[in-house]
Amino acid sequence: MNAEVQFNPQGAVEAQAVAGISFTPEARRLADNNIVGLAPPSNELRPFTMIRAALLDHARATGTRVFAVTSADPGNGKTHVTANLAMAMARIHPTVLVELDLRRPALGERLGLPGDYAGVEDYLAGECPWSATRACIEGLDLTVHRVRRPRLDAEVLLAGDALPLALHNLQATQSGTICLIDTPPAILSDDLALIARNVDGILVVAEEGRTAKAALQDIAHTVSPTPIIGTVLNRSISQTARRIDYGYYQSGYQPA
Ligand SMILES: Nc1ncnc2c1ncn2[C@@H]1O[C@H](COP(=O)(O)OP(=O)(O)OP(=O)(O)O)[C@@H](O)[C@H]1O
Ligand SMILES: [Mg+2]
């Protein structure tokens, strides 16, 4: 816990903390939320290590490193895929996980992060430095920036100068850090368009039998000119039926 960050009764950040926190997630909490990235290698982890390999190849081939994960509709599994992929990535490579679903944040709750230090929305509102929103995850080369409280004025925060600045700084790091961003669904707002213009590529999570082809085309239009660099088929019916031990995913990964 970072004692430097103080909140007033309204929840506004009072101190300009720079340190963020160190955090050890509870295995039980992760398991309850189907997050397998910190657990020993398993069949559930394997789809994420496959997507990790493809994404690392793409990053090295193109010199890009900031990727947003989205989907057409609410509940397709964006946060699930992003959190698991980030943890799988962080087992072998420096990784930053950023939550930019400001309207319906879930990452803090999913990982069990405390609520009493600054969130991404506080940084975007100019109330604290980016570093104050950092949670360094023990046991992995992973830094998480989660949203502390929902913000209905998300588009105002996402359209400002603070987001490009933070992501530009991540792009400029020497360590080759991969940044994965959890986003809102494409259908509900133009938040995704505001995020897309600051990232190198988009990963789309689709659900078999639920995500329409036209919705995927709409996402490509929304994020253009940022490329869709891959798709992840979540909760694949045919895959589950064919090989249950292979998990719920197919990675239809297409390098740009
Ligand atoms: N492949 C999966 N295996 C097990 N649980 C899953 C899987 N995909 C998603 N879930 C669970 O389904 C629920 C919805 O997933 P998640 O919150 O990741 O979707 P989302 O697209 O981020 O939703 P939102 O649009 O609200 O942000 C969560 O409880 C998540 O843990
Ligand atoms: Mg989500």
Side-chain angles (χ1 to χ4, degrees), residues 36-37 39-54 84-85 88-89 91 232 239 243-251:
V36 295
S42 62
N43 287 330
E44 286 71 33
L45 179 67
R46 189 155 176 239
F48 298 108
T49 60
M50 292 176 67
I51 301 168
R52 171 184 76 188
N84 274 297
L85 180 57
M89 184 72 75
R91 294 164 87 106
V232 177
Q239 186 80 351
R243 284 189 60 183
I244 193 109
D245 64 335
Y246 205 66
Y248 291 128
Y249 303 84
Q250 287 172 318
S251 171

Side-chain angles (χ1 to χ4, degrees), residues 161-181:
D161 293 336
L163 179 61
L165 184 66
L167 297 183
H168 177 79
N169 287 342
L170 281 170
Q171 274 157 334
T173 56
Q174 298 298 312
S175 59
T177 301
I178 296 285
C179 175
L180 295 170
I181 300 173

Side-chain angles (χ1 to χ4, degrees), residues 32-34 48 71 73-81 101 104 106 110 182-185 188 205 234-235 248-249:
D32 286 350
N33 287 305
N34 301 309
F48 298 108
S71 73
D73 301 300
N76 289 141
K78 295 174 293 298
T79 303
H80 177 78
V81 169
D101 188 346
R104 291 216 311 189
R110 208 77 54 98
D182 187 22
T183 73
L188 291 186
V205 176
N234 189 23
R235 297 197 262 232
Y248 291 128
Y249 303 84

Side-chain angles (χ1 to χ4, degrees), residues 75-185:
N76 289 141
K78 295 174 293 298
T79 303
H80 177 78
V81 169
T82 315
N84 274 297
L85 180 57
M87 287 196 167
M89 184 72 75
R91 294 164 87 106
I92 61 168
H93 193 91
T95 305
V96 173
L97 169 58
V98 178
E99 180 167 50
L100 287 180
D101 188 346
L102 304 185
R103 297 173 200 271
R104 291 216 311 189
L107 207 50
E109 177 68 22
R110 208 77 54 98
L111 300 181
L113 286 160
D116 59 354
Y117 70 99
V120 169
E121 77 281 18
D122 298 312
Y123 162 76
L124 293 176
E127 291 166 6
C128 70
W130 179 244
S131 55
T133 71
R134 184 171 60 190
C136 298
I137 306 300
E138 299 286 340
L140 292 171
D141 199 343
L142 178 63
T143 304
V144 176
H145 300 262
R146 63 94 177 90
V147 172
R148 182 169 61 95
R149 293 194 314 181
R151 289 284 295 245
L152 297 180
D153 58 346
E155 73 274 24
V156 176
L157 298 181
L158 293 171
D161 293 336
L163 179 61
L165 184 66
L167 297 183
H168 177 79
N169 287 342
L170 281 170
Q171 274 157 334
T173 56
Q174 298 298 312
S175 59
T177 301
I178 296 285
C179 175
L180 295 170
I181 300 173
D182 187 22
T183 73

Side-chain angles (χ1 to χ4, degrees), residues 12-57:
V13 177
E14 285 179 344
Q16 294 288 294
V18 292
I21 66 165
S22 287
F23 182 71
T24 305
E26 284 176 25
R28 183 61 197 258
R29 163 83 71 146
L30 297 184
D32 286 350
N33 287 305
N34 301 309
I35 295 177
V36 295
L38 251 182
S42 62
N43 287 330
E44 286 71 33
L45 179 67
R46 189 155 176 239
F48 298 108
T49 60
M50 292 176 67
I51 301 168
R52 171 184 76 188
L55 194 58
L56 272 176
D57 283 349

